[in-house]
C-alpha cells in the first residue's frame, strides 16, 4: 500500500523519466526517514495500479456486489493476461530490490508501457495528461 505522498512522488518520478528530466529524477530518488527507495515505491505503485486496472477491465467498480467481485476475480484468474500481469509486477519488484543507477528511470518507462497497454488506444501523447489525472485522483482521495 502506498501513501498519497509516496504516490505523488512516484508520479513525479514517472513524469521526470518520461520528459527526460534527470535532475528531477535524481532529486526524487533521495529518501527521507521512513521513505522507501524510489525503485521500491515505483514497483509498489505498479502493483496497486495494475490491480486497479485489472479490476476495471473486469467490470469491478465501487457499487459491485460481493458476488460480482467474486465472479470477476474468478474470471480474471483464468485469463493469461492476468497471470502475465502478475509476473510483470513480480519482475518489477525483484528489479527494484537490486537497483542499479538507471533502475528508477527504467521502472518508470516500463510502468508507463504497462498502463498504456491497458488503455488499448493510449498513445505517447496521452502519457502526461494521464499522469495529471492520476495525480488529481490521488490528491482527491488523500490516501
Amino acid at each position: 500500500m502506498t501513501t498519497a505522498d509516496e504516490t505523488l512522488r512516484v508520479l513525479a518520478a514517472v513524469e521526470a523519466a518520461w520528459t527526460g528530466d534527470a535532475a528531477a529524477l535524481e532529486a526524487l530518488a533521495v529518501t527521507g526517514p521512513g521513505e522507501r527507495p524510489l525503485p521500491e515505491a515505483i514497483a509498489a505503485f505498479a502493483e496497486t495500479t495494475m490491480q486497479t486496472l485489472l479490476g476495471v477491465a473486469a467490470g469491478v467498480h465501487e457499487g459491485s456486489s460481493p458476488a460480482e467481485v467474486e465472479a470477476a476475480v474468478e474470471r480474471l484468474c483464468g485469463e493469461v493476461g492476468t497471470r502475465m500481469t502478475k509476473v510483470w509486477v513480480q519482475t518489477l519488484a525483484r528489479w527494484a530490490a537490486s537497483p542499479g543507477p538507471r533502475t528508477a528511470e527504467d521502472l518508470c518507462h516500463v510502468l508507463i508501457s504497462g498502463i498504456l497497454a491497458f488503455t488499448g488506444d493510449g498513445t505517447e501523447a496521452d502519457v502526461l495528461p494521464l499522469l495529471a489525472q492520476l495525480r488529481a485522483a490521488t490528491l482527491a482521495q488523500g490516501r
Side-chain angles (χ1 to χ4, degrees), residues 32-130:
E35 287 184 325
R36 287 190 246 205
L38 185 58
E40 289 179 23
I42 294 165
F45 177 78
E47 180 177 11
T48 301
T49 300
M50 289 301 114
Q51 288 173 350
T52 300
L53 289 172
L54 283 169
V56 169
V60 176
H61 52 81
E62 283 187 34
S64 296
S65 70
E68 290 170 324
V69 171
E70 186 176 326
V73 168
E74 190 173 311
R75 211 171 37 253
L76 284 171
C77 287
E79 293 182 2
V80 172
T82 301
R83 293 192 301 269
M84 291 306 298
T85 299
K86 183 177 179 181
V87 170
W88 178 77
V89 167
Q90 289 172 345
T91 301
L92 291 182
R94 287 181 180 262
W95 190 10
S98 57
R102 290 183 38 103
T103 300
E105 182 177 356
D106 292 341
L107 282 165
C108 289
H109 282 282
V110 171
L111 175 57
I112 291 166
S113 296
I115 292 171
L116 287 177
F118 268 88
T119 65
D121 59 353
T123 66
E124 291 184 0
D126 298 319
V127 171
L128 294 178
L130 175 64

Side-chain angles (χ1 to χ4, degrees), residues 10-48:
V10 168
L11 292 171
V14 172
E15 185 172 342
W18 183 253
T19 60
D21 189 343
L25 194 56
E26 187 175 321
L28 290 161
V30 176
T31 57
E35 287 184 325
R36 287 190 246 205
L38 185 58
E40 289 179 23
I42 294 165
F45 177 78
E47 180 177 11
T48 301

